[in-house]
Amino acid sequence: KNMALQLKLNQERFIPLLEKLIGESEFVQNNPPEHIPEEDRVVRHVLAVLEPLSTKNGGPLIVEQLSYTPGRSNIYVEYPGSLGHEKVVSFVGSHMDVVTADRSKWTVDPFKLTRDGDKLYGRGTTDCLGHVALITDLMAQLAEKKPSLKASVCVLFICNEENATVVDIGVDRVAKEGKIDHLKNGPLLWCDVADSQACMATGGIRQWRLTAKGKLFHSGIPQKAMNAIELAHDALAAIQSRFYRDFAAGQKEADYKFIVGSTLKPTYMSSPEGSRNIIQGEAVLEGDIRLTPFF
């Protein structure tokens, strides 16, 4: 309790670090194949703060760079407590990639930190480079103040959070390798949010794909075609109707202040390339399910 009162955000460290991280955001956009992030560009700035406080340099922090593909690493950081891994508190999920940003739609440069009073602008300030900078400062302060704790404080910064087409390089691989098994021995806080406010509950995600197959034919002779785009939309409408009946928001969502309940919606559509006077014989809808924790 007394230690908590002594911890205050070190803005002289936080702001310059965040500025460096946002400066790399253009190169860590995650939307393959157009944008493949290079998270190690962020890793080097985080390590520049934490490695001088690591055990290999005489400090208390255990710092480990975990890489399973070139240029795309995760970082494990630990401030050991007296009980070792018997008791832990962990912060996981702050990721070093970002979603894409279109400069033309921003009033400021998204790939440069802009400060307007207490407001900070730039791709990744909330999702999620701001979290990376914040927790880096937390671990640095623990290393500097050296409090005597029973529980070990563990952190995992991860790569490849914003896209699921590439797998086995981020938190999934770290868990598979057994590197974070000990985090089961205490509370784990997933530190990632796509808004500016604190988040006390969030939904899980599952991605889906729906392929509709019809019959391709000229649009001037529609009676000989079976429109795959219309089939996909009709099928989705039926699926959504059932989903929102089965997973309707209830009192729990209200208790935890969910603005919306569980959702199932399309986020992407594709069909074979062709002219505008052809009724497509195949259409693909893709999207996600965001499910509240109460189902």
Side-chain angles (χ1 to χ4, degrees):
K1 182 177 179 181
N2 290 335
M3 182 60 201
L5 295 176
Q6 298 173 29
L7 292 180
K8 184 179 180 180
L9 179 66
N10 182 342
Q11 293 197 32
E12 288 70 30
R13 175 163 50 211
F14 172 77
I15 296 296
L17 174 58
L18 182 58
E19 186 172 23
K20 292 175 182 176
L21 301 189
I22 301 300
E24 303 288 5
S25 60
E26 183 173 6
F27 308 101
V28 295
Q29 296 177 94
N30 196 346
N31 187 29
E34 295 85 4
H35 298 283
I36 299 176
E38 307 167 49
E39 286 95 342
D40 280 4
R41 300 178 72 112
V42 171
V43 168
R44 65 190 177 99
H45 297 300
V46 174
L47 294 183
V49 174
L50 297 181
E51 280 196 331
L53 301 166
S54 68
T55 52
K56 71 177 184 179
N57 289 307
L61 294 181
I62 298 170
V63 180
E64 187 176 2
Q65 185 173 347
L66 305 171
S67 183
Y68 305 104
T69 193
R72 307 193 63 185
S73 300
N74 309 272
I75 310 173
Y76 175 79
V77 189
E78 179 180 330
Y79 180 80
S82 61
L83 297 179
H85 288 170
E86 291 182 20
K87 185 176 183 180
V88 302
V89 176
S90 56
F91 301 88
V92 179
S94 294
H95 52 91
M96 298 176 287
D97 60 335
V98 300
V99 295
T100 56
D102 182 351
R103 270 195 174 97
S104 66
K105 297 180 180 179
W106 284 61
T107 57
V108 298
D109 186 346
F111 306 123
K112 178 183 178 181
L113 184 68
T114 300
R115 187 170 185 175
D116 181 11
D118 288 338
K119 293 183 178 181
L120 302 172
Y121 299 91
R123 173 56 84 223
T125 50
T126 56
D127 188 18
C128 185
L129 300 177
H131 296 71
V132 174
L134 177 68
I135 296 175
T136 297
D137 181 58
L138 168 65
M139 298 307 287
Q141 288 200 43
L142 289 177
E144 291 163 349
K145 297 178 183 296
K146 298 182 175 66
S148 178
L149 304 178
K150 291 183 179 180
S152 295
V153 181
C154 306
V155 169
L156 182 67
F157 298 121
I158 64 174
C159 70
N160 197 47
E161 191 272 345
E162 293 290 5
N163 193 280
T165 58
V166 178
V167 297
D168 208 35
I169 66 171
V171 65
D172 50 348
R173 180 62 178 272
V174 176
K176 184 188 296 184
E177 296 289 333
K179 294 286 188 179
I180 52 175
D181 286 351
H182 56 285
L183 303 190
K184 299 173 184 176
N185 297 331
L188 184 153
L189 287 80
W190 186 267
C191 297
D192 176 25
V193 66
D195 207 341
S196 302
Q197 293 79 37
C199 177
M200 65 178 178
T202 189
I205 181 172
R206 177 173 290 275
Q207 295 180 319
W208 57 265
R209 176 184 294 169
L210 171 65
T211 301
K213 292 186 179 293
K215 183 180 179 182
L216 181 147
F217 219 86
H218 195 284
S219 65
I221 315 173
Q223 72 275 15
K224 292 190 176 184
M226 184 178 293
N227 195 320
I229 295 175
E230 293 179 340
L231 286 175
H233 286 175
D234 289 348
L236 179 61
I239 292 169
Q240 286 181 308
S241 177
R242 175 64 181 269
F243 178 89
Y244 288 114
R245 184 168 70 249
D246 291 351
F247 298 97
Q251 185 58 45
K252 282 289 188 180
E253 280 82 357
D255 291 343
Y256 281 85
K257 301 187 185 304
F258 275 85
I259 298 174
V260 295
S262 300
T263 61
L264 183 155
K265 66 279 186 190
T267 58
Y268 183 79
M269 180 177 179
S270 62
S271 60
E273 187 174 350
S275 64
R276 296 298 181 265
N277 62 351
I278 294 296
I279 295 174
Q280 291 292 345
E282 181 175 311
V284 177
L285 291 176
E286 297 180 64
D288 63 25
I289 297 170
R290 301 284 178 149
L291 201 66
T292 59
F294 318 116
F295 294 99

